[in-house]
Amino acid sequence: MRYRLLGRTNVRVSAVGLGTWAMGGGFPWGPQDKEDAIAALKAAFEEGITLFDTAPMYGEGVAEQWVGEALSDVRDKIIIATKVSPDQLAPKALKTSCEQSLERLRTEYIDLLQIHWPNPKIPIEGTLQALADLQASHKIRAFGVSNFGKSDLTPCLTKREFAPASNQVAYNLLFRAIEYEIKPFCVRNNISIICYSPLLHGLLTGKFANADEVPPERARTRHFSSSRPHTRHGEAGAEAETFAAIDEIRNIARDLGEPMANVALAWLIAQEGVASVLVGARNASQARRNARAGNLALPPAYAQRLTKATEALKKKLGPNPDLWENPPRIH
Ligand SMILES: NC(=O)c1ccc[n+]([C@@H]2O[C@H](COP(=O)([O-])OP(=O)(O)OC[C@H]3O[C@@H](n4cnc5c(N)ncnc54)[C@H](OP(=O)(O)O)[C@@H]3O)[C@@H](O)[C@H]2O)c1
């Protein structure tokens, strides 16, 4: 496993992190077995994963509770990243949300507290000051943002103590929108990129042969036609380009003799500005297999083939960095 520092902080994270959204169960993932989730968390740690990403929104606190339950005995060896929901960004609400997360996570400090989504209705300066206060009182070691575009990030750079360590965004081989503007901006300003949905909800494992095999509740990103029942974007989608790219990635992985998921994760880990990729896992076997991407370095010619294979899809989906909506909620 490789490890990297976040932004200007001394918070060191594994290049593969474990995401816990699906562990919370409910829409769009369906039921999650608790034993499997606890086993996945423990297996991930055994494989060298130290970054665990969760949120109060995941299963309304259940995912945070399970992280606390599974990993409290190795607390000083892991990095807990959690979030504050967009409706809790007023200073008092944010501090209450942090206290509740600390309790569910069974810990006295959070390594990285992230603003889950921007909320234009709540002045960001107050939110940033509340985060800086939590840092000064050692409740959190660092703070970051998530789903922030260039305009969302700009006010965070007005004071040194407001600068986020990281920006957690949707980024994977099939969704490269942040390459247009957000990634270069983060690189210039030393804000580490943490990638979410690095397998595009499992599509990059190769488990679905075509768009119709994807369960309807998962087929709701801008890749899928707005005729799919759970979409919210009103766009035509890019189903042909998505599955043409998946076929080509599958061929490249076969040539390399590596699992497709690991090839996709290794490509992402190697991108400029990326500190970590947060991969979801529903059981120990998935967690162990995905963790191995942390040791996989792609030969440059293969990395270039992967980039080329997804260029047409990147152009079709364009610079909107919102995976689900148009107009975007990210600015
Ligand atoms: N900040 C945000 O707004 C935001 C948004 C989304 C996600 N996130 C974070 O990013 C994390 C990961 O994103 P994600 O959960 O959306 O998607 P993902 O990592 O792209 O896909 C994860 C899903 O793919 C399947 N999978 C994983 N490894 C597999 C393997 N080796 N073989 C076969 N199937 C495999 C599993 O579901 P099945 O077994 O059910 O197929 C798993 O739940 C989340 O858990 C969360 O922490 C953050």
Side-chain angles (χ1 to χ4, degrees):
M1 182 61 65
R2 287 161 281 176
Y3 299 87
R4 282 103 179 249
L5 287 175
L6 284 185
R8 295 188 179 84
T9 71
N10 62 356
V11 177
R12 196 168 153 267
V13 299
S14 50
V16 178
L18 187 74
T20 63
W21 177 24
M23 286 183 190
F27 185 86
W29 296 101
Q32 170 70 47
D33 180 79
K34 181 177 176 185
E35 300 292 303
D36 281 347
I38 300 281
L41 289 157
K42 288 182 184 289
F45 176 71
E46 282 166 19
E47 297 292 333
I49 288 180
T50 55
L51 174 61
F52 294 86
D53 180 75
T54 186
M57 268 187 193
Y58 301 162
E60 291 174 23
V62 165
E64 285 189 330
Q65 275 167 10
W66 291 355
V67 169
E69 188 174 331
L71 298 168
S72 54
D73 56 333
V74 292
R75 174 65 189 99
D76 58 333
K77 297 185 179 67
I78 61 167
I79 299 299
I80 296 181
T82 192
K83 308 192 185 82
V84 53
S85 302
D87 60 344
Q88 303 296 309
L89 296 181
K92 205 168 156 221
L94 184 144
K95 287 177 183 171
T96 305
S97 168
C98 177
E99 287 300 335
Q100 290 167 343
S101 290
L102 286 167
E103 202 176 313
R104 286 191 289 261
L105 288 160
R106 305 186 189 186
T107 182
E108 286 173 1
Y109 65 94
I110 289 161
D111 298 279
L112 181 71
L113 185 60
Q114 305 155 102
I115 300 176
H116 205 147
W117 280 87
N119 182 347
K121 293 193 191 117
I122 298 178
I124 186 79
E125 290 73 16
T127 306
L128 294 166
Q129 188 58 59
L131 288 164
D133 292 347
L134 287 171
Q135 194 174 21
S137 61
H138 305 290
K139 298 267 183 188
I140 65 175
R141 287 177 65 201
F143 58 86
V145 295
S146 176
N147 299 301
F148 270 44
K150 196 175 151 186
S151 302
D152 301 314
L153 284 166
T154 302
C156 307
L157 301 173
T158 52
K159 281 189 185 176
R160 202 178 161 79
E161 63 267 34
F162 286 176
S166 53
N167 189 13
Q168 187 183 135
V169 283
Y171 189 27
N172 60 58
L173 264 171
L174 302 174
F175 193 65
R176 294 170 50 196
I178 69 158
E179 292 178 0
Y180 289 93
E181 193 174 61
I182 297 176
K183 189 168 82 158
F185 187 83
C186 288
V187 168
R188 272 200 307 282
N189 290 288
N190 206 355
I191 300 168
S192 290
I193 292 165
I194 298 180
C195 308
Y196 73 69
S197 305
L199 299 176
L200 194 60
H201 311 141
L203 266 72
L204 280 163
T205 65
K207 67 187 348 167
F208 307 113
N210 55 58
D212 294 331
E213 280 191 11
V214 180
E217 56 282 2
R218 251 184 239 199
R220 63 191 185 105
T221 65
R222 292 180 37 250
H223 300 76
F224 295 92
S225 157
S226 59
S227 63
R228 307 260 170 205
H230 300 288
T231 52
R232 303 190 301 246
H233 52 65
E235 295 178 353
E239 296 184 4
E241 291 82 354
T242 300
F243 280 84
I246 288 174
D247 287 345
E248 184 55 14
I249 298 164
R250 188 183 285 110
N251 291 337
I252 297 168
R254 193 177 300 132
D255 290 351
L256 261 169
E258 296 286 348
M260 187 171 154
N262 293 24
V263 168
L265 295 173
W267 177 88
L268 198 53
I269 290 168
Q271 299 309 303
E272 188 183 19
V274 168
S276 185
V277 303
L278 299 172
V279 63
R282 314 202 65 173
N283 52 51
S285 157
Q286 287 182 356
R288 284 192 200 283
R289 272 184 282 154
N290 296 340
R292 287 182 200 130
N295 298 319
L296 177 62
L298 297 179
Y302 286 86
Q304 281 159 18
R305 273 179 73 190
L306 289 163
T307 304
K308 206 165 150 235
T310 57
E311 214 58 60
L313 178 62
K314 174 182 169 181
K315 282 208 182 78
K316 176 101 187 219
L317 291 173
N320 174 1
D322 193 323
L323 196 48
W324 297 278
E325 293 196 14
N326 186 19
R329 296 158 292 172
I330 303 168
H331 300 285

